[in-house]
Amino acid sequence: MKPTESSNTESDTSRDATVPDVWPEELNTDINYQHPINISDGQNNYGAFITSSPPALSPVGRTDDGTAIVNIINDAEEFVYISVMDYEPMCTFTHKMIFWPNIDDALRKAALENKVKVKLLISWWKHSSPAEDHFLRSLADLSESYPRVDIQVKRFIVPSTPDQDKIPYARVNHNKYMVTDHTAYIGTSNWSGDYFTTTAGVAFVFEDHLRYEGSFQNLTRDIRKDLQEVFERDWNSPYAVPLRRL
């Protein structure tokens, strides 16, 4: 077969590809948010599971990525620390913009109802949407609206030289993680609606506490604690600046 014929065949196959209504049973899993796998290093035990998005790409049993984030926020008892490149409760790449408040609502509920301390460290660079500041400001403005409500926001700016500025899509903090007093979440998606509804992504969730009958039992302090220390280092660094007023 000629090279041109081969590439045309592959192109036709791609165009005809579809997402199946039901994935093969061999892809099913019983490891998820409700039933994390129990892993031991010989001395300590911890729970873990994988999430994926969008829901159409998740086989039976897999926890959807957006759902996992909301559940982790709901489970937090002391704090929720988030470090992501983009934060916007909207689907902006669709034909019509769609409000997608799932995560945003969970953060407000955690802070207002459960008095969980919330900190968001969101990147700022030339490709950031100006609308982000408005959404972030609406969260930060809830602080002290009621007793013990604490939501803090900073933007993370990576400095660059004029020569470095010439490099496209560089000099930005690409973090996509969340850490709470119970759980570490490390994903591949920016936190705007499109990434959870129409874009493929995965995340690793690590629990150093065992969820048991609505309460948590401590197992070990390992990856989660390390991620908390990374966040606190960045939060207190000179690259983390207060949210500016527009």
Side-chain angles (χ1 to χ4, degrees):
M1 182 179 291
K2 296 179 181 179
T4 53
E5 292 175 342
S6 174
S7 82
N8 285 340
T9 301
E10 292 173 359
S11 177
D12 290 342
T13 302
S14 283
R15 282 198 300 268
D16 294 337
T18 60
V19 176
D21 293 331
V22 179
W23 290 97
E25 288 187 6
E26 56 265 29
L27 298 180
N28 294 356
T29 181
D30 57 3
I31 300 170
N32 48 43
Y33 169 78
Q34 289 81 9
H35 304 100
I37 189 171
N38 187 12
I39 302 175
S40 173
D41 61 7
Q43 296 180 333
N44 300 298
N45 297 315
Y46 57 90
F49 61 96
I50 300 293
T51 72
S52 61
S53 63
L57 293 184
S58 298
V60 172
R62 179 80 67 211
T63 299
D64 176 61
D65 201 20
T67 300
I69 291 173
V70 170
N71 287 339
I72 292 168
I73 294 171
N74 290 340
D75 285 339
E77 296 178 310
E78 298 178 16
F79 66 85
V80 174
Y81 296 162
I82 296 164
S83 181
V84 293
M85 187 175 77
D86 294 323
Y87 181 90
E88 192 172 12
M90 296 286 294
C91 295
T92 59
F93 299 110
T94 50
H95 178 67
K96 176 185 178 182
M97 285 198 301
I98 299 172
F99 184 45
W100 196 84
N102 303 31
I103 296 173
D104 205 66
D105 284 350
L107 291 175
R108 295 170 192 270
K109 179 179 179 180
L112 290 166
E113 293 187 8
N114 302 330
K115 308 306 180 186
V116 171
K117 180 184 296 185
V118 176
K119 290 184 177 180
L120 297 100
L121 186 58
I122 313 300
S123 297
W124 176 259
W125 62 322
K126 66 180 71 176
H127 300 288
S128 294
S129 167
E132 284 187 353
D133 267 5
H134 295 283
F135 288 116
L136 294 171
R137 174 59 58 193
S138 72
L139 282 168
D141 282 347
L142 289 173
S143 280
E144 301 181 2
S145 56
Y146 296 94
R148 296 172 50 222
V149 174
D150 187 358
I151 304 178
Q152 301 177 49
V153 181
K154 289 185 179 181
R155 304 305 296 257
F156 195 92
I157 301 175
V158 177
S160 59
T161 65
D163 284 339
Q164 290 171 333
D165 279 338
K166 298 175 183 177
I167 305 172
Y169 298 98
R171 308 302 295 171
V172 64
N173 188 355
H174 270 282
N175 284 346
K176 297 166 178 59
Y177 72 82
M178 168 175 60
V179 60
T180 76
D181 47 298
H182 296 313
T183 306
Y185 166 97
I186 304 172
T188 63
S189 296
N190 292 310
W191 282 24
S192 62
D194 305 89
Y195 286 90
F196 301 105
T197 59
T198 57
T199 303
V202 296
F204 171 75
V205 180
F206 170 92
E207 298 178 337
D208 67 3
H209 291 68
L210 174 66
R211 271 183 279 113
Y212 179 71
E213 294 183 353
S215 63
F216 285 84
Q217 296 178 332
N218 189 57
L219 296 176
T220 182
R221 305 188 72 81
D222 193 353
I223 296 175
R224 191 210 62 79
K225 180 61 175 176
D226 290 343
L227 197 61
Q228 179 182 343
E229 291 175 353
V230 169
F231 179 90
E232 291 170 343
R233 178 204 65 191
D234 289 349
W235 180 265
N236 295 305
S237 75
Y239 310 116
V241 301
L243 182 65
R244 63 191 178 95
R245 286 201 175 272
L246 299 176

